[in-house]
Amino acid sequence: MPGHARSISTRLTLITVLVVGALVGWAWPQALALWRTGGLVTGWMGSGLLLVSLLLMVREPWLARSLGGLEPMYRWHHLLGVWAYVVVLAHPLAFAASDWSESPAMAWAMLSPWQQGWPVWLGWASLLCMMAGLMVALWPKLRYAIWRQFHHLLSLSVLLGAAHLVALGLDGVLLVAPLLIIGFLLWRVIRADHGLGAQPYVVQRVKHLSPTTVELSLQPLAASATKPLSAAPGQFVLAAFFAGPKYQGCGEYHPYTISSLGDEGRLGLGIKALGDCTRQLQSIRSGAAVRVQGPFGDFFAGGSGPSLWLAGGIGITPFIAALRNGPLVDPVHLIYLHREGAAAPYTQELNELAAQQPMLQLQVVDTGDALPDLSQLLPAASDLTGLGCYLCGPSAMVDAAVQLLHQRGVGAPRIHFERFDFR
Ligand SMILES: Cc1cc2nc3c(=O)[nH]c(=O)nc-3n(C[C@H](O)[C@H](O)[C@H](O)COP(=O)(O)OP(=O)(O)OC[C@H]3O[C@@H](n4cnc5c(N)ncnc54)[C@H](O)[C@@H]3O)c2cc1C
């Protein structure tokens, strides 16, 4: 694991241990039997894990900057969510175990909502929603739109879980946990999903780069009171497209890498039709309303020096942004893999840039529908010495390239990648 990733993991582990430790410490019961103590402790451990998982779902550029970016935040959000479920599942079972030695009927009575009333109804409802939501969340092949709908079950589970805690009659410091849980959930829904944390932009210009890719120039709305976004090449934004002349956007926030940076917050986004929303975007016209949140990510934070850039399909966008930003100061070997024949987006501009920029060695490869043979395309081990390697595109390409680069002696600290499909 590279040093940067290790320090992010340490930071996130520390936050988790502190939050879970504080909750369990406050709630630690005095003089209870072992299983009952276990029941209480697992309940609070689960709440602590859920609390941190929800904090990592809050989508704010400043938070993402301090926690290593959205990608590790979402990865940890999923991991802690699964652990919260496992621990919370042990919570009622430990209570039942405490009464099992008396009789199975007493153990059932402890778990039965008919006998225990509202707090237990809420607890079970929360657990069932969590189970259903997690089963779907961990199903990577599911269509994104369906996955997203089912993911909302987890929000319902969290609300029911918080209601379970309140119905138990908590007071004092322990009431902070459900309040924070609801607070983080609302923060995410209002600021990110409903766009309160995003800035108003308008589509100024639309350029069709190929039958499946469009490049949009976005301009901040002059009337906006907020400062325009300030971004660097390699960063991405979350953008939602709304109504405009003869156009009705899908209004969902999706991540797109900035393909060009203009004055006063102007941005370019190159968008390929990869699903429902992005297919609809191919027919957008100038004048459509957009909201933009960000910037996120630090793809080019690896430093300067000679580099190898590998782009797969629309994964060319961060490299286009870097090349448009000014002449290269260090040698770069850019390999652009695509399967769109003569219609591949950006090829003409890349050829022009290579003619103007002596530092750029350009290799455009039309792979057709076959998988490219990266072992032939990537430089030999001796040519990789001292190069920083930047990879952007589909996960399968990134994984294969990382493996090959390792085999050719490139260590993890010199490999930087951006995946276009984290959820
Ligand atoms: C960091 C990053 C940078 C990206 N940059 C670009 C870019 O410059 N140009 C470009 O064309 N595409 C880019 N993408 C991919 C783009 O976000 C998806 O193609 C788009 O969200 C698809 O939405 P859809 O509704 O059309 O398709 P759907 O059918 O909903 O989804 C198709 C696939 O896109 C991915 N996806 C959908 N919605 C999201 C979301 N909200 N967050 C993450 N992934 C999602 C999923 O893997 C899904 O399987 C980027 C993705 C990421 C994560």
Side-chain angles (χ1 to χ4, degrees), residues 234 257 299-300 308-319 334-337 389-395 397-398 401-402 416-421:
T257 306
F299 183 49
F300 286 118
L308 168 73
W309 293 354
L310 176 68
I314 194 64
I316 190 69
T317 44
F319 305 119
L334 167 59
I335 306 176
Y336 173 28
L337 309 176
C389 299
Y390 295 82
L391 324 169
C392 186
S395 265
M397 181 207 80
V398 170
V402 168
H416 313 271
F417 50 83
E418 187 85 276
R419 294 178 192 277
F420 267 16
D421 56 1

PDB file of all heavy atoms in Angstrom, residues 234 257 299-300 308-319 334-337 389-395 397-398 401-402 416-421:
ATOM      1  N   GLY A 234      -7.222  17.059 -13.727  1.00  0.00           N
ATOM      2  CA  GLY A 234      -7.222  15.771 -13.021  1.00  0.00           C
ATOM      3  C   GLY A 234      -8.324  15.686 -11.987  1.00  0.00           C
ATOM      4  O   GLY A 234      -8.576  14.611 -11.448  1.00  0.00           O
ATOM      5  N   THR A 257     -15.044  14.044 -15.063  1.00  0.00           N
ATOM      6  CA  THR A 257     -13.737  14.695 -14.943  1.00  0.00           C
ATOM      7  C   THR A 257     -13.745  15.985 -15.756  1.00  0.00           C
ATOM      8  O   THR A 257     -14.313  16.030 -16.854  1.00  0.00           O
ATOM      9  CB  THR A 257     -12.651  13.753 -15.497  1.00  0.00           C
ATOM     10  OG1 THR A 257     -12.789  12.523 -14.812  1.00  0.00           O
ATOM     11  CG2 THR A 257     -11.263  14.306 -15.267  1.00  0.00           C
ATOM     12  N   PHE A 299      -5.892  13.518  -8.959  1.00  0.00           N
ATOM     13  CA  PHE A 299      -5.254  12.521  -9.821  1.00  0.00           C
ATOM     14  C   PHE A 299      -3.784  12.844 -10.099  1.00  0.00           C
ATOM     15  O   PHE A 299      -2.928  11.965 -10.075  1.00  0.00           O
ATOM     16  CB  PHE A 299      -6.059  12.450 -11.121  1.00  0.00           C
ATOM     17  CG  PHE A 299      -5.604  11.423 -12.104  1.00  0.00           C
ATOM     18  CD1 PHE A 299      -5.365  10.116 -11.722  1.00  0.00           C
ATOM     19  CD2 PHE A 299      -5.433  11.757 -13.437  1.00  0.00           C
ATOM     20  CE1 PHE A 299      -4.970   9.161 -12.636  1.00  0.00           C
ATOM     21  CE2 PHE A 299      -5.041  10.807 -14.367  1.00  0.00           C
ATOM     22  CZ  PHE A 299      -4.799   9.508 -13.963  1.00  0.00           C
ATOM     23  N   PHE A 300      -3.475  14.117 -10.361  1.00  0.00           N
ATOM     24  CA  PHE A 300      -2.098  14.460 -10.728  1.00  0.00           C
ATOM     25  C   PHE A 300      -1.249  14.907  -9.532  1.00  0.00           C
ATOM     26  O   PHE A 300      -0.237  15.573  -9.714  1.00  0.00           O
ATOM     27  CB  PHE A 300      -2.085  15.559 -11.799  1.00  0.00           C
ATOM     28  CG  PHE A 300      -2.486  15.060 -13.157  1.00  0.00           C
ATOM     29  CD1 PHE A 300      -3.621  15.555 -13.789  1.00  0.00           C
ATOM     30  CD2 PHE A 300      -1.749  14.074 -13.803  1.00  0.00           C
ATOM     31  CE1 PHE A 300      -3.994  15.085 -15.043  1.00  0.00           C
ATOM     32  CE2 PHE A 300      -2.124  13.596 -15.059  1.00  0.00           C
ATOM     33  CZ  PHE A 300      -3.249  14.109 -15.671  1.00  0.00           C
ATOM     34  N   LEU A 308       4.204   8.253 -17.778  1.00  0.00           N
ATOM     35  CA  LEU A 308       3.439   7.452 -18.738  1.00  0.00           C
ATOM     36  C   LEU A 308       1.975   7.704 -18.416  1.00  0.00           C
ATOM     37  O   LEU A 308       1.572   7.612 -17.253  1.00  0.00           O
ATOM     38  CB  LEU A 308       3.758   5.964 -18.533  1.00  0.00           C
ATOM     39  CG  LEU A 308       2.828   5.011 -19.275  1.00  0.00           C
ATOM     40  CD1 LEU A 308       3.130   5.033 -20.776  1.00  0.00           C
ATOM     41  CD2 LEU A 308       2.959   3.591 -18.747  1.00  0.00           C
ATOM     42  N   TRP A 309       1.193   8.093 -19.433  1.00  0.00           N
ATOM     43  CA  TRP A 309      -0.247   8.271 -19.226  1.00  0.00           C
ATOM     44  C   TRP A 309      -0.950   7.198 -20.045  1.00  0.00           C
ATOM     45  O   TRP A 309      -0.691   7.062 -21.247  1.00  0.00           O
ATOM     46  CB  TRP A 309      -0.710   9.647 -19.719  1.00  0.00           C
ATOM     47  CG  TRP A 309      -0.189  10.827 -18.943  1.00  0.00           C
ATOM     48  CD1 TRP A 309       0.542  10.810 -17.794  1.00  0.00           C
ATOM     49  CD2 TRP A 309      -0.376  12.219 -19.274  1.00  0.00           C
ATOM     50  NE1 TRP A 309       0.829  12.089 -17.378  1.00  0.00           N
ATOM     51  CE2 TRP A 309       0.275  12.968 -18.271  1.00  0.00           C
ATOM     52  CE3 TRP A 309      -1.023  12.898 -20.305  1.00  0.00           C
ATOM     53  CZ2 TRP A 309       0.305  14.373 -18.280  1.00  0.00           C
ATOM     54  CZ3 TRP A 309      -1.002  14.280 -20.312  1.00  0.00           C
ATOM     55  CH2 TRP A 309      -0.351  15.013 -19.308  1.00  0.00           C
ATOM     56  N   LEU A 310      -1.863   6.459 -19.409  1.00  0.00           N
ATOM     57  CA  LEU A 310      -2.633   5.450 -20.144  1.00  0.00           C
ATOM     58  C   LEU A 310      -4.113   5.779 -20.003  1.00  0.00           C
ATOM     59  O   LEU A 310      -4.644   5.828 -18.883  1.00  0.00           O
ATOM     60  CB  LEU A 310      -2.354   4.047 -19.568  1.00  0.00           C
ATOM     61  CG  LEU A 310      -3.177   2.926 -20.200  1.00  0.00           C
ATOM     62  CD1 LEU A 310      -2.778   2.689 -21.655  1.00  0.00           C
ATOM     63  CD2 LEU A 310      -3.015   1.622 -19.406  1.00  0.00           C
ATOM     64  N   ALA A 311      -4.771   6.042 -21.143  1.00  0.00           N
ATOM     65  CA  ALA A 311      -6.200   6.386 -21.123  1.00  0.00           C
ATOM     66  C   ALA A 311      -6.988   5.312 -21.837  1.00  0.00           C
ATOM     67  O   ALA A 311      -6.593   4.857 -22.905  1.00  0.00           O
ATOM     68  CB  ALA A 311      -6.417   7.720 -21.821  1.00  0.00           C
ATOM     69  N   GLY A 312      -8.117   4.918 -21.249  1.00  0.00           N
ATOM     70  CA  GLY A 312      -9.018   3.971 -21.913  1.00  0.00           C
ATOM     71  C   GLY A 312     -10.319   4.691 -22.218  1.00  0.00           C
ATOM     72  O   GLY A 312     -11.006   5.142 -21.295  1.00  0.00           O
ATOM     73  N   GLY A 313     -10.668   4.855 -23.495  1.00  0.00           N
ATOM     74  CA  GLY A 313     -11.939   5.485 -23.886  1.00  0.00           C
ATOM     75  C   GLY A 313     -12.075   6.888 -23.312  1.00  0.00           C
ATOM     76  O   GLY A 313     -11.166   7.717 -23.404  1.00  0.00           O
ATOM     77  N   ILE A 314     -13.199   7.141 -22.649  1.00  0.00           N
ATOM     78  CA  ILE A 314     -13.474   8.489 -22.131  1.00  0.00           C
ATOM     79  C   ILE A 314     -12.539   8.828 -20.958  1.00  0.00           C
ATOM     80  O   ILE A 314     -12.481   9.971 -20.509  1.00  0.00           O
ATOM     81  CB  ILE A 314     -14.986   8.639 -21.775  1.00  0.00           C
ATOM     82  CG1 ILE A 314     -15.351  10.111 -21.577  1.00  0.00           C
ATOM     83  CG2 ILE A 314     -15.357   7.807 -20.557  1.00  0.00           C
ATOM     84  CD1 ILE A 314     -15.222  10.973 -22.798  1.00  0.00           C
ATOM     85  N   GLY A 315     -11.759   7.851 -20.506  1.00  0.00           N
ATOM     86  CA  GLY A 315     -10.720   8.089 -19.496  1.00  0.00           C
ATOM     87  C   GLY A 315      -9.634   9.028 -20.004  1.00  0.00           C
ATOM     88  O   GLY A 315      -8.684   9.353 -19.277  1.00  0.00           O
ATOM     89  N   ILE A 316      -9.777   9.531 -21.228  1.00  0.00           N
ATOM     90  CA  ILE A 316      -8.821  10.497 -21.776  1.00  0.00           C
ATOM     91  C   ILE A 316      -9.025  11.886 -21.139  1.00  0.00           C
ATOM     92  O   ILE A 316      -8.127  12.736 -21.193  1.00  0.00           O
ATOM     93  CB  ILE A 316      -8.978  10.582 -23.334  1.00  0.00           C
ATOM     94  CG1 ILE A 316      -7.863  11.390 -23.991  1.00  0.00           C
ATOM     95  CG2 ILE A 316     -10.318  11.102 -23.738  1.00  0.00           C
ATOM     96  CD1 ILE A 316      -6.524  10.755 -23.945  1.00  0.00           C
ATOM     97  N   THR A 317     -10.202  12.130 -20.526  1.00  0.00           N
ATOM     98  CA  THR A 317     -10.545  13.507 -20.110  1.00  0.00           C
ATOM     99  C   THR A 317      -9.531  14.175 -19.155  1.00  0.00           C
ATOM    100  O   THR A 317      -9.189  15.337 -19.384  1.00  0.00           O
ATOM    101  CB  THR A 317     -11.974  13.586 -19.520  1.00  0.00           C
ATOM    102  OG1 THR A 317     -12.158  12.494 -18.634  1.00  0.00           O
ATOM    103  CG2 THR A 317     -13.026  13.561 -20.608  1.00  0.00           C
ATOM    104  N   PRO A 318      -8.999  13.495 -18.117  1.00  0.00           N
ATOM    105  CA  PRO A 318      -8.049  14.230 -17.269  1.00  0.00           C
ATOM    106  C   PRO A 318      -6.779  14.616 -18.027  1.00  0.00           C
ATOM    107  O   PRO A 318      -6.168  15.661 -17.757  1.00  0.00           O
ATOM    108  CB  PRO A 318      -7.732  13.247 -16.128  1.00  0.00           C
ATOM    109  CG  PRO A 318      -8.143  11.907 -16.617  1.00  0.00           C
ATOM    110  CD  PRO A 318      -9.253  12.136 -17.600  1.00  0.00           C
ATOM    111  N   PHE A 319      -6.374  13.774 -18.997  1.00  0.00           N
ATOM    112  CA  PHE A 319      -5.153  14.061 -19.755  1.00  0.00           C
ATOM    113  C   PHE A 319      -5.386  15.229 -20.721  1.00  0.00           C
ATOM    114  O   PHE A 319      -4.505  16.078 -20.897  1.00  0.00           O
ATOM    115  CB  PHE A 319      -4.700  12.799 -20.504  1.00  0.00           C
ATOM    116  CG  PHE A 319      -4.515  11.614 -19.588  1.00  0.00           C
ATOM    117  CD1 PHE A 319      -5.256  10.459 -19.734  1.00  0.00           C
ATOM    118  CD2 PHE A 319      -3.604  11.676 -18.531  1.00  0.00           C
ATOM    119  CE1 PHE A 319      -5.097   9.381 -18.876  1.00  0.00           C
ATOM    120  CE2 PHE A 319      -3.435  10.607 -17.663  1.00  0.00           C
ATOM    121  CZ  PHE A 319      -4.187   9.455 -17.834  1.00  0.00           C
ATOM    122  N   LEU A 334       1.879   9.352 -23.874  1.00  0.00           N
ATOM    123  CA  LEU A 334       0.438   9.125 -23.713  1.00  0.00           C
ATOM    124  C   LEU A 334      -0.025   8.003 -24.639  1.00  0.00           C
ATOM    125  O   LEU A 334       0.127   8.083 -25.856  1.00  0.00           O
ATOM    126  CB  LEU A 334      -0.333  10.416 -24.023  1.00  0.00           C
ATOM    127  CG  LEU A 334      -1.856  10.292 -24.212  1.00  0.00           C
ATOM    128  CD1 LEU A 334      -2.546   9.729 -22.978  1.00  0.00           C
ATOM    129  CD2 LEU A 334      -2.470  11.655 -24.558  1.00  0.00           C
ATOM    130  N   ILE A 335      -0.601   6.951 -24.032  1.00  0.00           N
ATOM    131  CA  ILE A 335      -1.201   5.869 -24.825  1.00  0.00           C
ATOM    132  C   ILE A 335      -2.717   5.995 -24.669  1.00  0.00           C
ATOM    133  O   ILE A 335      -3.239   5.925 -23.543  1.00  0.00           O
ATOM    134  CB  ILE A 335      -0.741   4.475 -24.325  1.00  0.00           C
ATOM    135  CG1 ILE A 335       0.783   4.397 -24.286  1.00  0.00           C
ATOM    136  CG2 ILE A 335      -1.319   3.374 -25.196  1.00  0.00           C
ATOM    137  CD1 ILE A 335       1.319   3.088 -23.706  1.00  0.00           C
ATOM    138  N   TYR A 336      -3.399   6.238 -25.785  1.00  0.00           N
ATOM    139  CA  TYR A 336      -4.856   6.422 -25.757  1.00  0.00           C
ATOM    140  C   TYR A 336      -5.510   5.240 -26.466  1.00  0.00           C
ATOM    141  O   TYR A 336      -5.394   5.093 -27.671  1.00  0.00           O
ATOM    142  CB  TYR A 336      -5.181   7.756 -26.444  1.00  0.00           C
ATOM    143  CG  TYR A 336      -6.646   8.056 -26.668  1.00  0.00           C
ATOM    144  CD1 TYR A 336      -7.656   7.551 -25.846  1.00  0.00           C
ATOM    145  CD2 TYR A 336      -7.036   8.901 -27.719  1.00  0.00           C
ATOM    146  CE1 TYR A 336      -8.992   7.848 -26.067  1.00  0.00           C
ATOM    147  CE2 TYR A 336      -8.378   9.217 -27.942  1.00  0.00           C
ATOM    148  CZ  TYR A 336      -9.346   8.679 -27.103  1.00  0.00           C
ATOM    149  OH  TYR A 336     -10.669   8.983 -27.333  1.00  0.00           O
ATOM    150  N   LEU A 337      -6.175   4.374 -25.697  1.00  0.00           N
ATOM    151  CA  LEU A 337      -6.847   3.199 -26.265  1.00  0.00           C
ATOM    152  C   LEU A 337      -8.313   3.528 -26.492  1.00  0.00           C
ATOM    153  O   LEU A 337      -8.973   4.060 -25.597  1.00  0.00           O
ATOM    154  CB  LEU A 337      -6.772   2.026 -25.278  1.00  0.00           C
ATOM    155  CG  LEU A 337      -5.394   1.680 -24.705  1.00  0.00           C
ATOM    156  CD1 LEU A 337      -5.529   0.561 -23.682  1.00  0.00           C
ATOM    157  CD2 LEU A 337      -4.465   1.279 -25.823  1.00  0.00           C
ATOM    158  N   CYS A 389       3.364   6.731 -13.346  1.00  0.00           N
ATOM    159  CA  CYS A 389       2.378   6.127 -14.259  1.00  0.00           C
ATOM    160  C   CYS A 389       0.966   6.550 -13.852  1.00  0.00           C
ATOM    161  O   CYS A 389       0.571   6.363 -12.702  1.00  0.00           O
ATOM    162  CB  CYS A 389       2.487   4.607 -14.213  1.00  0.00           C
ATOM    163  SG  CYS A 389       4.112   4.063 -14.735  1.00  0.00           S
ATOM    164  N   TYR A 390       0.229   7.135 -14.784  1.00  0.00           N
ATOM    165  CA  TYR A 390      -1.124   7.645 -14.527  1.00  0.00           C
ATOM    166  C   TYR A 390      -2.094   6.895 -15.433  1.00  0.00           C
ATOM    167  O   TYR A 390      -1.930   6.904 -16.651  1.00  0.00           O
ATOM    168  CB  TYR A 390      -1.183   9.159 -14.803  1.00  0.00           C
ATOM    169  CG  TYR A 390      -0.316   9.934 -13.840  1.00  0.00           C
ATOM    170  CD1 TYR A 390       1.057  10.065 -14.041  1.00  0.00           C
ATOM    171  CD2 TYR A 390      -0.862  10.505 -12.702  1.00  0.00           C
ATOM    172  CE1 TYR A 390       1.859  10.740 -13.145  1.00  0.00           C
ATOM    173  CE2 TYR A 390      -0.066  11.190 -11.789  1.00  0.00           C
ATOM    174  CZ  TYR A 390       1.288  11.296 -12.017  1.00  0.00           C
ATOM    175  OH  TYR A 390       2.086  11.962 -11.113  1.00  0.00           O
ATOM    176  N   LEU A 391      -3.085   6.244 -14.815  1.00  0.00           N
ATOM    177  CA  LEU A 391      -4.008   5.396 -15.573  1.00  0.00           C
ATOM    178  C   LEU A 391      -5.430   5.872 -15.334  1.00  0.00           C
ATOM    179  O   LEU A 391      -5.808   6.159 -14.196  1.00  0.00           O
ATOM    180  CB  LEU A 391      -3.911   3.944 -15.094  1.00  0.00           C
ATOM    181  CG  LEU A 391      -2.532   3.432 -14.671  1.00  0.00           C
ATOM    182  CD1 LEU A 391      -2.653   2.085 -13.972  1.00  0.00           C
ATOM    183  CD2 LEU A 391      -1.632   3.314 -15.898  1.00  0.00           C
ATOM    184  N   CYS A 392      -6.212   5.972 -16.399  1.00  0.00           N
ATOM    185  CA  CYS A 392      -7.597   6.390 -16.219  1.00  0.00           C
ATOM    186  C   CYS A 392      -8.489   5.695 -17.236  1.00  0.00           C
ATOM    187  O   CYS A 392      -8.204   5.723 -18.435  1.00  0.00           O
ATOM    188  CB  CYS A 392      -7.720   7.904 -16.370  1.00  0.00           C
ATOM    189  SG  CYS A 392      -9.376   8.473 -15.970  1.00  0.00           S
ATOM    190  N   GLY A 393      -9.571   5.080 -16.758  1.00  0.00           N
ATOM    191  CA  GLY A 393     -10.494   4.407 -17.664  1.00  0.00           C
ATOM    192  C   GLY A 393     -11.247   3.303 -16.954  1.00  0.00           C
ATOM    193  O   GLY A 393     -11.364   3.300 -15.730  1.00  0.00           O
ATOM    194  N   PRO A 394     -11.728   2.311 -17.716  1.00  0.00           N
ATOM    195  CA  PRO A 394     -12.513   1.235 -17.104  1.00  0.00           C
ATOM    196  C   PRO A 394     -11.684   0.453 -16.082  1.00  0.00           C
ATOM    197  O   PRO A 394     -10.470   0.290 -16.259  1.00  0.00           O
ATOM    198  CB  PRO A 394     -12.873   0.328 -18.294  1.00  0.00           C
ATOM    199  CG  PRO A 394     -12.538   1.094 -19.516  1.00  0.00           C
ATOM    200  CD  PRO A 394     -11.569   2.157 -19.164  1.00  0.00           C
ATOM    201  N   SER A 395     -12.368  -0.028 -15.044  1.00  0.00           N
ATOM    202  CA  SER A 395     -11.684  -0.742 -13.954  1.00  0.00           C
ATOM    203  C   SER A 395     -10.838  -1.902 -14.456  1.00  0.00           C
ATOM    204  O   SER A 395      -9.716  -2.117 -13.977  1.00  0.00           O
ATOM    205  CB  SER A 395     -12.710  -1.279 -12.967  1.00  0.00           C
ATOM    206  OG  SER A 395     -12.855  -0.385 -11.922  1.00  0.00           O
ATOM    207  N   MET A 397      -9.319  -2.320 -17.280  1.00  0.00           N
ATOM    208  CA  MET A 397      -8.068  -1.853 -17.886  1.00  0.00           C
ATOM    209  C   MET A 397      -7.085  -1.400 -16.796  1.00  0.00           C
ATOM    210  O   MET A 397      -5.896  -1.741 -16.837  1.00  0.00           O
ATOM    211  CB  MET A 397      -8.347  -0.685 -18.844  1.00  0.00           C
ATOM    212  CG  MET A 397      -7.109  -0.165 -19.530  1.00  0.00           C
ATOM    213  SD  MET A 397      -7.233   1.582 -20.019  1.00  0.00           S
ATOM    214  CE  MET A 397      -6.885   2.422 -18.473  1.00  0.00           C
ATOM    215  N   VAL A 398      -7.619  -0.659 -15.825  1.00  0.00           N
ATOM    216  CA  VAL A 398      -6.750  -0.158 -14.747  1.00  0.00           C
ATOM    217  C   VAL A 398      -6.130  -1.333 -13.996  1.00  0.00           C
ATOM    218  O   VAL A 398      -4.912  -1.366 -13.762  1.00  0.00           O
ATOM    219  CB  VAL A 398      -7.561   0.764 -13.792  1.00  0.00           C
ATOM    220  CG1 VAL A 398      -6.756   1.101 -12.548  1.00  0.00           C
ATOM    221  CG2 VAL A 398      -7.984   2.043 -14.514  1.00  0.00           C
ATOM    222  N   ALA A 401      -3.457  -3.062 -16.089  1.00  0.00           N
ATOM    223  CA  ALA A 401      -2.250  -2.238 -16.244  1.00  0.00           C
ATOM    224  C   ALA A 401      -1.450  -2.187 -14.941  1.00  0.00           C
ATOM    225  O   ALA A 401      -0.214  -2.290 -14.957  1.00  0.00           O
ATOM    226  CB  ALA A 401      -2.645  -0.824 -16.687  1.00  0.00           C
ATOM    227  N   VAL A 402      -2.153  -2.072 -13.808  1.00  0.00           N
ATOM    228  CA  VAL A 402      -1.446  -2.011 -12.513  1.00  0.00           C
ATOM    229  C   VAL A 402      -0.649  -3.300 -12.316  1.00  0.00           C
ATOM    230  O   VAL A 402       0.536  -3.277 -11.929  1.00  0.00           O
ATOM    231  CB  VAL A 402      -2.446  -1.786 -11.342  1.00  0.00           C
ATOM    232  CG1 VAL A 402      -1.773  -2.003  -9.993  1.00  0.00           C
ATOM    233  CG2 VAL A 402      -3.038  -0.383 -11.409  1.00  0.00           C
ATOM    234  N   HIS A 416      -0.634   5.872 -10.262  1.00  0.00           N
ATOM    235  CA  HIS A 416      -1.782   6.673  -9.841  1.00  0.00           C
ATOM    236  C   HIS A 416      -2.935   6.333 -10.779  1.00  0.00           C
ATOM    237  O   HIS A 416      -2.734   6.282 -11.984  1.00  0.00           O
ATOM    238  CB  HIS A 416      -1.471   8.165  -9.950  1.00  0.00           C
ATOM    239  CG  HIS A 416      -0.140   8.499  -9.345  1.00  0.00           C
ATOM    240  ND1 HIS A 416       0.009   8.821  -8.019  1.00  0.00           N
ATOM    241  CD2 HIS A 416       1.105   8.495  -9.891  1.00  0.00           C
ATOM    242  CE1 HIS A 416       1.301   9.016  -7.764  1.00  0.00           C
ATOM    243  NE2 HIS A 416       1.988   8.826  -8.884  1.00  0.00           N
ATOM    244  N   PHE A 417      -4.109   6.093 -10.232  1.00  0.00           N
ATOM    245  CA  PHE A 417      -5.211   5.770 -11.148  1.00  0.00           C
ATOM    246  C   PHE A 417      -6.533   6.348 -10.682  1.00  0.00           C
ATOM    247  O   PHE A 417      -6.730   6.640  -9.514  1.00  0.00           O
ATOM    248  CB  PHE A 417      -5.344   4.262 -11.388  1.00  0.00           C
ATOM    249  CG  PHE A 417      -5.367   3.433 -10.142  1.00  0.00           C
ATOM    250  CD1 PHE A 417      -6.541   3.256  -9.440  1.00  0.00           C
ATOM    251  CD2 PHE A 417      -4.197   2.824  -9.683  1.00  0.00           C
ATOM    252  CE1 PHE A 417      -6.549   2.487  -8.293  1.00  0.00           C
ATOM    253  CE2 PHE A 417      -4.201   2.047  -8.534  1.00  0.00           C
ATOM    254  CZ  PHE A 417      -5.381   1.882  -7.840  1.00  0.00           C
ATOM    255  N   GLU A 418      -7.401   6.532 -11.681  1.00  0.00           N
ATOM    256  CA  GLU A 418      -8.758   7.017 -11.430  1.00  0.00           C
ATOM    257  C   GLU A 418      -9.694   6.007 -12.078  1.00  0.00           C
ATOM    258  O   GLU A 418      -9.578   5.732 -13.264  1.00  0.00           O
ATOM    259  CB  GLU A 418      -8.939   8.382 -12.104  1.00  0.00           C
ATOM    260  CG  GLU A 418     -10.238   9.073 -11.773  1.00  0.00           C
ATOM    261  CD  GLU A 418     -10.172   9.869 -10.475  1.00  0.00           C
ATOM    262  OE1 GLU A 418     -10.375   9.253  -9.403  1.00  0.00           O
ATOM    263  OE2 GLU A 418      -9.915  11.071 -10.529  1.00  0.00           O
ATOM    264  N   ARG A 419     -10.583   5.419 -11.266  1.00  0.00           N
ATOM    265  CA  ARG A 419     -11.566   4.485 -11.832  1.00  0.00           C
ATOM    266  C   ARG A 419     -12.826   5.272 -12.148  1.00  0.00           C
ATOM    267  O   ARG A 419     -13.204   6.163 -11.396  1.00  0.00           O
ATOM    268  CB  ARG A 419     -11.920   3.396 -10.817  1.00  0.00           C
ATOM    269  CG  ARG A 419     -10.770   2.485 -10.500  1.00  0.00           C
ATOM    270  CD  ARG A 419     -11.227   1.483  -9.443  1.00  0.00           C
ATOM    271  NE  ARG A 419     -10.098   0.770  -8.898  1.00  0.00           N
ATOM    272  CZ  ARG A 419      -9.535  -0.286  -9.467  1.00  0.00           C
ATOM    273  NH1 ARG A 419      -9.997  -0.735 -10.606  1.00  0.00           N
ATOM    274  NH2 ARG A 419      -8.513  -0.880  -8.899  1.00  0.00           N
ATOM    275  N   PHE A 420     -13.490   4.892 -13.264  1.00  0.00           N
ATOM    276  CA  PHE A 420     -14.686   5.629 -13.653  1.00  0.00           C
ATOM    277  C   PHE A 420     -15.966   4.951 -13.181  1.00  0.00           C
ATOM    278  O   PHE A 420     -17.033   5.206 -13.693  1.00  0.00           O
ATOM    279  CB  PHE A 420     -14.711   5.804 -15.183  1.00  0.00           C
ATOM    280  CG  PHE A 420     -14.083   7.101 -15.631  1.00  0.00           C
ATOM    281  CD1 PHE A 420     -13.274   7.829 -14.779  1.00  0.00           C
ATOM    282  CD2 PHE A 420     -14.307   7.609 -16.896  1.00  0.00           C
ATOM    283  CE1 PHE A 420     -12.693   9.023 -15.170  1.00  0.00           C
ATOM    284  CE2 PHE A 420     -13.740   8.801 -17.310  1.00  0.00           C
ATOM    285  CZ  PHE A 420     -12.927   9.515 -16.438  1.00  0.00           C
ATOM    286  N   ASP A 421     -15.854   4.035 -12.202  1.00  0.00           N
ATOM    287  CA  ASP A 421     -17.084   3.332 -11.827  1.00  0.00           C
ATOM    288  C   ASP A 421     -17.215   3.067 -10.335  1.00  0.00           C
ATOM    289  O   ASP A 421     -17.790   2.071  -9.945  1.00  0.00           O
ATOM    290  CB  ASP A 421     -17.196   2.019 -12.600  1.00  0.00           C
ATOM    291  CG  ASP A 421     -15.983   1.131 -12.398  1.00  0.00           C
ATOM    292  OD1 ASP A 421     -15.080   1.536 -11.645  1.00  0.00           O
ATOM    293  OD2 ASP A 421     -15.944   0.043 -12.994  1.00  0.00           O
TER     294      ASP A 421
END
